[in-house]
Amino acid sequence: MTTFTVHEPPPRKNEETASPVRFAFVRDGFYFWAFLLGPVWMLYHRLWLVLLMYLAGTTAIQAALWALGVSGLVKFTVALLIAALVGFEAGSLRRWSLRRWTNRGIVVAYNREAAEHRFFDRWSGRLPATDARPEPPVPPQGARVPTSDQDIIGLFPEPQTRP
């Protein structure tokens, strides 16, 4: 099962609330295309500021490696590690770019389509919300329940003040 975060865009000029068609479902996990083609993936998802920071950062790192005179293998390894970092953090980068949108919750589903169905069914009221708090556990029969300040719960007692 995959976890998705749901983001609602701000309403347009003539809208009172945003259209559900414009909601963004951001998957949590590794993004292969962000790893393989990072800048292209960022352009596709309109992450302009992220792309600018990525280009500035990688250019600065590669210039520093060149100034240090490291081998081509080290430069390639560093570039591969940066690409892996982008692949692993792509979902977080998208969520960061949607920070002005309203976060509407988290959905767990097998794929995006199932996540959309599950979210909109719960949002429209057809399914009950599953985030209700459970009842506190009842201690078993004969269990000792602390009754005073002198009982110790945990590994260390509270420090006592000396007279």
Side-chain angles (χ1 to χ4, degrees):
M1 296 281 253
T2 307
T3 304
F4 293 86
T5 55
V6 184
H7 303 272
E8 179 184 3
R12 293 184 176 156
K13 291 179 184 178
N14 299 333
E15 294 178 333
E16 189 171 317
T17 60
S19 170
V21 175
R22 295 180 30 226
F23 278 42
F25 287 77
V26 180
R27 178 177 56 86
D28 193 28
F30 184 77
Y31 284 73
F32 177 75
W33 291 111
F35 164 72
L36 193 63
L37 302 169
V40 175
W41 181 86
M42 291 173 199
L43 283 173
Y44 177 77
H45 288 285
R46 302 160 128 208
L47 305 175
W48 315 118
L49 188 58
V50 172
L51 177 63
L52 183 65
M53 291 187 303
Y54 170 82
L55 292 175
T58 55
T59 302
I61 290 171
Q62 291 298 329
L65 292 175
W66 177 79
L68 292 173
V70 298
S71 69
L73 180 63
V74 172
K75 291 179 189 176
F76 176 76
T77 304
V78 168
L80 189 66
L81 290 173
I82 291 171
L85 179 65
V86 168
F88 280 114
E89 294 299 325
S92 297
L93 293 172
R94 280 198 66 203
R95 280 194 247 354
W96 180 77
S97 70
L98 298 173
R99 67 192 176 278
R100 292 186 180 156
W101 292 27
T102 305
N103 187 345
R104 287 293 173 202
I106 298 172
V107 180
V108 178
Y110 288 107
N111 56 25
R112 182 179 174 184
E113 184 178 346
E116 290 175 356
H117 284 289
R118 182 173 285 179
F119 172 77
F120 287 119
D121 282 346
R122 188 178 71 204
W123 194 48
S124 67
R126 283 186 269 173
L127 289 179
T130 57
D131 53 2
R133 295 184 188 259
E135 292 293 322
V138 177
Q141 281 289 6
R144 184 171 176 264
V145 179
T147 57
S148 71
D149 293 344
Q150 301 304 320
D151 290 335
I152 298 174
I153 297 177
L155 298 176
F156 302 102
E158 291 293 319
Q160 301 289 326
T161 57
R162 296 182 187 217

